[in-house]
Amino acid sequence: VARARAAQRARLGAGPEASNAFVPAPEIRRHARLDASALVVLGGAARATALSARALDRVVRVGRTIADLSGEAAVTSRHLAEALQYRGLDRLKKALEDQR
């Protein structure tokens, strides 16, 4: 985690907002450096799940963090697939809470 935070600081600068969570939406994809397969996964997820642009940005943010934890410079399809799984778990948790 310390290495991931250091990578974020190196990419984003110092300060309390030097994390992927605070990157402005227009910049997140530039920082993510998505490869072609990652764009295919993201496009497929957008079509299959009708995610909003804001939700897709959040998926890319989480994917960027997963890549940072793996020590990788670019976000790959594997990172986005993992981020999408977490998104699905969040939705499942909310649905279960709503049923109570």
Side-chain angles (χ1 to χ4, degrees):
V1 171
R3 283 191 305 267
R5 296 290 293 189
Q8 290 174 29
R9 280 190 304 276
R11 187 172 49 250
L12 303 170
E17 295 187 358
S19 76
N20 295 329
F22 296 106
V23 175
E27 294 181 30
I28 190 62
R29 291 186 193 208
R30 182 173 56 86
H31 289 292
R33 297 174 37 189
L34 301 173
D35 63 13
S37 64
L39 290 172
V40 169
V41 168
L42 197 59
R47 286 187 297 279
T49 61
L51 291 174
S52 67
R54 181 183 290 176
L56 289 172
D57 285 340
R58 277 184 257 159
V59 168
V60 173
R61 280 178 212 283
V62 172
R64 175 69 266 170
T65 300
I66 293 166
D68 287 338
L69 290 167
S70 300
E72 298 179 44
V75 177
T76 66
S77 58
R78 180 178 53 84
H79 301 131
L80 290 180
E82 185 176 342
L84 285 162
Q85 286 179 333
Y86 295 141
R87 175 88 179 154
L89 290 174
D90 285 345
R91 286 183 167 187
L92 176 60
K93 180 182 174 189
K94 182 173 179 356
L96 291 172
E97 289 172 350
D98 289 347
Q99 288 179 352
R100 291 183 193 166

